[in-house]
Amino acid sequence: MIKVSLFAEQEHETQMDKSGDALGKLAEHVDFAALAAEIDEAAARPGRERGGRPPFPMELMVRVLVVQQLYNLSDEQMEFQLPDRLSFQRFVGLRQSSQAPDRTTIWTFKERLIKAGAAERIFEAASRELDRHGYIARGGQMVDASIVPVPKQTLNKDERAIVQQDAMPAEWSPSKRRQKEHVFAGLEQMGGKALRSIGPARATLHLNWKAPTYNLRRLCSLKEVGPTPF
């Protein structure tokens, strides 16, 4: 017989925590309120002068986009998964809500970020979150999945452009090539380095969500089992 419990919901959440919910670790170690506040400065929510449904809180939408990148989901898939998955609902903050962002809401939110030119601000805000814990994005590339507690290495302007274009010049050393290969290998489980976007502006936004999302997840791993930063 299937056991019926009045506390099934709480028991399921407890089981998720015991199993090591990755989203729960993100919520524990990352200050999403601070990330949302910085992004809100760059792309504030529209007013309600024209009426209509109130917009979802900025922090909620930031968490939605983090989940989307972490699990490589389209806007349509997010619309289905949010009401369906308990871990998503808990992380985003919709456990007690009868509403959830649909595909149009998610798309409109990203379009607002694009029009406000907030892509770089997203990456910078996530980098400051790493710095708060004593870590840096090694190499200084826009996409860098290798965060370590060591002095920051930087690329010049030309090298940075080459990294963003996913090319490796012949003069790069073997160690530098391996580092770049490692960076993108770590992103394969999040959909890889290929971007499904229409136009460079959307691709840039996608890139500036994908890289920080991986780095923040990596931060959580290091906080749990990794080395102590200095």
Side-chain angles (χ1 to χ4, degrees):
M1 294 180 61
I2 297 177
K3 180 182 177 182
V4 178
S5 173
L6 296 176
F7 306 100
E9 186 175 291
Q10 292 86 343
E11 292 169 358
H12 289 159
E13 292 193 11
T14 299
Q15 184 59 43
M16 281 197 308
D17 291 333
K18 289 182 179 179
S19 300
D21 179 23
L23 293 177
K25 297 301 181 183
L26 271 175
E28 178 182 347
H29 295 298
V30 178
D31 188 351
F32 282 99
L35 287 179
E38 290 204 44
I39 297 172
D40 202 22
E41 290 182 2
R45 292 187 300 168
R48 298 191 58 202
E49 293 80 6
R50 299 182 180 180
R53 188 179 67 182
F56 287 97
M58 176 63 78
E59 182 178 346
L60 185 149
M61 294 305 300
V62 167
R63 288 172 179 253
V64 166
L65 264 60
V66 166
V67 171
Q68 187 176 37
Q69 290 297 334
L70 192 60
Y71 293 94
N72 190 34
L73 300 173
S74 66
D75 294 347
E76 292 78 8
Q77 290 170 328
M78 279 300 301
E79 179 179 358
F80 173 78
Q81 294 282 6
L82 275 175
D84 184 66
R85 294 188 60 168
L86 175 60
S87 60
F88 287 9
Q89 295 171 25
R90 184 170 69 164
F91 174 74
V92 171
L94 293 172
R95 294 293 293 117
Q96 307 300 322
S97 175
S98 60
Q99 294 181 325
D102 58 18
R103 67 189 72 183
T104 302
T105 301
I106 297 171
W107 181 86
T108 302
F109 177 68
K110 289 189 287 190
E111 286 296 300
R112 192 170 88 240
L113 295 179
I114 291 172
K115 291 179 180 179
E120 288 288 346
R121 188 71 174 268
I122 294 166
F123 188 83
E124 293 168 359
S127 295
R128 278 190 284 274
E129 185 65 17
L130 298 180
D131 183 67
R132 184 174 69 88
H133 288 277
Y135 291 89
I136 59 173
R138 179 177 167 186
Q141 299 99 321
M142 178 175 288
V143 176
D144 195 338
S146 179
I147 58 173
V148 291
V150 297
K152 184 175 181 180
Q153 303 172 6
T154 58
L155 299 178
N156 61 39
K157 183 178 179 181
D158 293 335
E159 289 176 324
R160 186 180 178 90
I162 290 171
V163 168
Q164 294 177 24
Q165 295 169 11
D166 189 24
M168 288 187 285
E171 64 269 20
W172 276 20
S173 66
S175 61
K176 195 170 187 178
R177 289 170 177 269
R178 286 194 299 271
Q179 177 181 321
K180 182 176 184 293
E181 290 169 357
H182 167 72
V183 165
F184 287 110
L187 294 172
E188 285 300 321
Q189 54 192 299
M190 291 172 54
K193 55 188 176 182
L195 303 180
R196 295 178 297 177
S197 300
I198 300 176
R202 291 183 180 86
T204 298
L205 180 69
H206 191 164
L207 188 63
N208 276 281
W209 272 113
K210 180 183 284 285
T213 296
Y214 186 89
N215 279 345
L216 291 175
R217 186 182 71 170
R218 179 64 175 158
L219 168 67
C220 293
S221 298
L222 292 174
K223 293 290 288 184
E224 293 295 315
V225 298
T228 302
F230 57 87

